[in-house]
Amino acid sequence: MIPGIHKLRYLLATRPRALTGVCLAVMLVGLVGGGVTAVTPPTTEASYSSEIDPISMSLHSQATVENTSSFYTLGETLTDRPVYLRSHTPNVTVRLVTTPPTADHVQIDQRLTLVYEARTAGNEVFVTQRQRLNRTNTSTAGETVVTTARMNITEVALTVARLESEIGDAGQIQVYLDAESRYDTSTGAGSLRHRGPLRISKDSYQIGHGSVEDELHPTESLVRVDPAKTSSLPFPILGTVIFPHTTLVFALLSLGGLVGAGLTVVFANRFDPDRERAALHKARYAEWISEGSLPAHHPVNTAQLNTLEDLVDFAIDTEKRILYDPAQGKYAVFDSRIVYVYVEERI
């Protein structure tokens, strides 16, 4: 194996311009790569949710007193009562109210449905009958959307009695109001739902009022510099500057190219091509060469070869070693009759 120093010295002696060009090209690549990576650092995208005003839905009831009594005044309006007397308020108006955020444009589709469910003694539903009461589909920007429906409790009670007579002892009929509001905003879509039980007895009825709301959490993306792929370096005037790891690599590459070009210019003239070529060849064929002393004068049967490579090829073919006399700069291979010699040029 040829030591790298011999190769480098030989290249410095024979091709200084090519080495300088390569070093300058490496420096240029480092500068361009460092600049590009510095202005476009690696980033990572993180999602987060920001809160805005919630959207809410509520179910209400309202009934007008139709018969005079000791408790109510004729024409009096009763709102969201826990119980209503059938004899005084046989009709009731249910109101589905949806309140959207004030700062957003919302498409709302809300529905009021009266649901009859036939349930077993184990509370399992085996028959369902739905009666659409009303529906509102509208677009609003912060304004409340209201959907109303009027019910006659006597008619509802008759329907319950008819259905119970049809199912017999298989179960019982339960009634509830299905209030649903579907919304679609600029940041997302969803729905709100409330099930309000309607309990009817002989003299009174009850409506399950209630409200639900949904916190709107629009998902947004935050793009920031990836800390796993960058490093922070403090500077006296600039403060702390963040560099991508690739920028530092390119900076080292550019610095290496600059140093290499400078060393090439400085040391290229200090090496002689012929001397470095001889040293390179000597290092390359060191395993075939042994140092020793040779006579100053060639024997009669002497063959002089032009290059060390030729002498090495002969030694390899004849399986002989080369004797090198450093004092004379002479290489020799002794055959039975002829001495093969190569004399290196003195510089």
Side-chain angles (χ1 to χ4, degrees):
M1 182 66 68
I2 305 174
I5 188 64
H6 289 291
K7 294 181 180 179
L8 179 59
R9 288 165 64 103
Y10 179 69
L11 288 175
L12 283 172
T14 58
R15 297 191 176 184
R17 291 185 178 180
L19 277 179
T20 303
V22 171
C23 292
L24 292 177
V26 170
M27 182 184 69
L28 181 61
V29 170
L31 289 175
V32 174
V36 171
T37 55
V39 298
T40 57
T43 58
T44 181
E45 187 172 336
S47 299
Y48 71 98
S49 298
S50 59
E51 293 187 5
I52 61 176
D53 295 337
I55 183 170
S56 62
M57 182 196 74
S58 57
L59 181 65
H60 305 274
S61 64
Q62 181 177 298
T64 301
V65 177
E66 299 181 11
N67 298 311
T68 304
S69 71
S70 303
F71 300 102
Y72 307 117
T73 303
L74 183 65
E76 181 182 355
T77 300
L78 309 179
T79 304
D80 292 344
R81 295 301 173 94
V83 62
Y84 295 93
L85 301 178
R86 292 180 60 179
S87 58
H88 297 85
T89 52
N91 298 296
V92 63
T93 299
V94 290
R95 300 171 64 247
L96 173 58
V97 180
T98 299
T99 304
T102 56
D104 199 2
H105 187 81
V106 185
Q107 182 70 31
I108 293 179
D109 181 10
Q110 59 184 23
R111 311 172 188 191
L112 269 173
T113 306
L114 187 62
V115 182
Y116 300 88
E117 285 185 348
R119 292 178 174 266
T120 64
N123 205 34
E124 295 179 336
V125 179
F126 61 93
V127 174
T128 300
Q129 179 177 305
R130 304 177 67 87
Q131 178 185 348
R132 173 72 61 81
L133 299 180
N134 200 357
R135 176 184 180 183
T136 302
N137 191 346
T138 185
S139 178
T140 180
E143 298 179 357
T144 299
V145 178
V146 180
T147 301
T148 61
R150 193 168 187 266
M151 295 189 301
N152 183 280
I153 299 302
T154 301
E155 294 180 358
V156 176
L158 291 175
T159 302
V160 171
R162 177 177 58 80
L163 295 176
E164 287 183 338
S165 65
E166 292 179 1
I167 65 174
D169 59 0
Q172 59 180 358
I173 301 297
Q174 293 185 5
V175 188
Y176 67 89
L177 287 166
D178 183 16
E180 180 184 14
S181 179
R182 302 175 183 177
Y183 61 87
D184 189 357
T185 70
S186 60
T187 57
S191 64
L192 300 172
R193 200 159 199 165
H194 173 70
R195 173 173 170 156
L198 177 58
R199 300 182 178 90
I200 304 175
S201 63
K202 178 181 179 182
D203 299 317
S204 63
Y205 60 92
Q206 296 175 314
I207 296 176
H209 311 110
S211 62
V212 291
E213 67 177 23
D214 189 10
E215 297 286 348
L216 298 180
H217 300 279
T219 301
E220 299 181 11
S221 295
L222 175 64
V223 178
R224 58 187 179 90
V225 176
D226 191 349
K229 299 179 180 179
T230 55
S231 298
S232 299
L233 297 177
F235 289 91
I237 299 178
L238 300 177
T240 301
V241 180
I242 298 177
F243 289 99
H245 293 161
T246 50
T247 300
L248 298 178
V249 172
F250 279 115
L252 293 176
L253 183 66
S254 178
L255 180 61
L258 177 62
V259 171
L263 292 177
T264 301
V265 173
V266 172
F267 290 99
N269 295 329
R270 298 187 182 186
F271 300 108
D272 182 81
D274 294 330
R275 183 176 57 196
E276 297 306 328
R277 183 182 298 107
L280 178 63
H281 291 164
K282 183 178 178 180
R284 176 179 298 169
Y285 306 124
E287 60 179 314
W288 295 94
I289 301 173
S290 299
E291 288 191 4
S293 297
L294 294 172
H297 301 285
H298 299 316
V300 177
N301 297 327
T302 300
Q304 186 165 347
L305 303 182
N306 295 327
T307 65
L308 179 60
E309 291 93 327
D310 294 336
L311 186 62
V312 171
D313 290 340
F314 176 77
I316 293 174
D317 293 339
T318 58
E319 298 184 352
K320 298 182 182 299
R321 292 195 64 78
I322 301 172
L323 184 62
Y324 171 61
D325 187 341
Q328 301 181 58
K330 184 187 296 183
Y331 298 84
V333 175
F334 291 89
D335 200 4
S336 58
R337 297 181 180 179
I338 303 176
V339 178
Y340 296 88
V341 177
Y342 167 73
V343 180
E344 63 184 5
E345 298 180 6
R346 291 297 182 177
I347 301 169

